[in-house]
Amino acid sequence: MLLGVNIDHIAVLRQARMVNDPDLLEAAFIVAKFGDQITLHIREDRRHTQDFDLKNLIHFCKSPINLECAINEEILNLALTLKPSRITLVPEKREELTTEGGLNLNHPDLKKTIQRLKNENIEVSLFINPKLNDIEKSYELNADFIELHTGLYANLHNALFTNISHTAFALKELQIDRKRLQTHLEEELKALKLCAKKGMQLGLKVAAGHGLNYKNVKEIAKINEICELNIGQSIIARSVFVGLKKAILEMKVLIDENKNCN
């Protein structure tokens, strides 16, 4: 199981002061040495990662580059020019803090976009909800990869096993009794397992990501059909205290220790 490190959150810190510090390229060199893949999301509003970041990464880094982007003509044209290793198509809303759900697989331009990227030998991944219908639809659309959205699993895990319910970050919809939270968590984990298995059976490569951290990653790492995890915020947050190298290596240890535990 490989680890893709999302470096968007380093760009957030840089953009807060509009200076080249911290340097995203320096972070990418560390990720390339100790992680397995560099993941970044260029959003339509360019709130963090910029076009020149992708250009620099592709020109100066040997590590695979996984670009997350919406079906946006300007960004797709940039990607087709620079040719990252993979493009993960994601939904995007201007007002959201982070990607809130899986891709709409009935988007009128989706099939055409996938084929356009594949014609340029760019691997295509779809960021989807863990639903069997979405797995089958991704296969029909001729995607190479799927990335299962683990956001609900992560939120349920946080509600059960952390103090978040007593903070300003509590989600109202998850302010329910612990027994129901546990049931929902088990159901979501089961859905992730079933979808990963279905994806592999159909010949899709299966990744997972969103909201994964040092506490909740263990159960996801046990899903043998998942070949890659993409994790950003928790690693970058951890690196504030221990450094980026150590934060990456700590996450890789957790993944490796649990990947064959089933």
Side-chain angles (χ1 to χ4, degrees):
M1 188 177 289
L2 302 179
L3 175 62
V5 180
N6 189 310
I7 58 177
D8 294 346
H9 301 280
I10 295 174
V12 169
L13 184 57
R14 179 192 65 188
Q15 296 302 111
R17 291 292 298 271
M18 298 301 291
V19 293
N20 196 34
D21 189 15
D23 188 338
L24 208 66
L25 193 57
E26 184 177 355
F29 290 150
I30 296 172
V31 173
K33 186 172 182 178
F34 300 104
D36 302 302
Q37 173 179 275
I38 298 167
T39 297
L40 72 158
H41 183 175
I42 296 183
R43 298 184 67 101
E44 293 179 5
D45 61 9
R46 307 305 199 274
R47 69 175 67 165
H48 40 60
T49 314
Q50 306 297 307
D51 295 14
F52 67 80
D53 290 319
L54 179 62
K55 184 176 181 180
N56 284 341
L57 294 180
I58 288 175
H59 280 289
F60 296 111
C61 291
K62 295 180 180 179
S63 185
I65 308 294
N66 172 30
L67 171 66
E68 298 177 341
C69 68
I71 302 174
N72 172 280
E73 192 66 19
E74 181 184 4
I75 299 174
L76 288 171
N77 284 335
L78 174 71
L80 285 164
T81 299
L82 297 175
K83 292 185 171 57
S85 308
R86 186 191 313 157
I87 290 180
T88 299
L89 296 173
V90 302
E92 189 173 305
K93 299 175 186 176
R94 289 294 178 98
E95 66 274 15
E96 69 186 0
L97 291 176
T98 184
T99 309
E100 295 173 344
L103 192 65
N104 172 17
L105 298 181
N106 294 312
H107 190 293
D109 295 328
L110 181 55
K111 188 170 185 178
K112 179 178 66 177
T113 299
I114 292 170
Q115 193 55 54
R116 182 181 173 195
L117 296 172
K118 287 172 71 75
N119 286 344
E120 296 297 323
N121 294 316
I122 299 173
E123 190 173 50
V124 179
S125 179
L126 304 180
F127 188 67
I128 62 173
N129 292 316
K131 296 180 179 179
L132 290 174
N133 287 343
D134 283 9
I135 306 298
E136 293 169 355
K137 182 68 173 178
S138 299
Y139 172 74
E140 293 170 5
L141 288 166
N142 200 29
D144 302 297
F145 240 101
I146 51 171
E147 182 168 346
L148 300 175
H149 188 295
T150 54
L152 178 55
Y153 162 81
N155 288 337
L156 288 163
H157 196 282
N158 284 343
L160 263 173
F161 300 114
T162 75
N163 195 41
I164 197 168
S165 62
H166 300 290
T167 73
F169 308 111
L171 297 174
K172 290 182 179 180
E173 62 269 25
L174 296 184
Q175 292 179 334
I176 56 179
D177 66 81
R178 292 183 62 81
K179 187 174 180 180
R180 289 171 64 195
L181 281 172
Q182 184 67 48
T183 298
H184 291 327
L185 179 65
E186 291 171 359
E187 290 173 345
E188 189 65 11
L189 187 57
K190 181 179 178 181
L192 287 162
K193 290 177 179 178
L194 287 172
C195 287
K197 186 173 183 179
K198 182 67 173 180
M200 189 174 186
Q201 288 172 343
L202 292 175
L204 295 165
K205 287 176 275 189
V206 183
H210 199 80
L212 296 179
N213 60 36
Y214 294 85
K215 294 183 178 180
N216 62 35
V217 74
K218 296 178 183 180
E219 291 302 316
I220 303 302
K222 293 177 184 178
I223 303 174
N224 293 328
E225 291 83 3
I226 294 176
C227 66
E228 173 188 297
L229 298 180
N230 285 296
I231 304 175
Q233 196 271 340
S234 65
I235 292 176
I236 303 309
R238 177 71 175 150
S239 75
V240 171
F241 302 104
V242 303
L244 185 53
K245 172 186 173 180
K246 187 174 181 182
I248 293 169
L249 292 178
E250 286 180 355
M251 182 61 75
K252 286 181 72 71
V253 166
L254 285 173
I255 293 169
D256 290 342
E257 284 180 345
N258 290 278
K259 65 183 178 182
N260 294 314
C261 289
N262 275 344

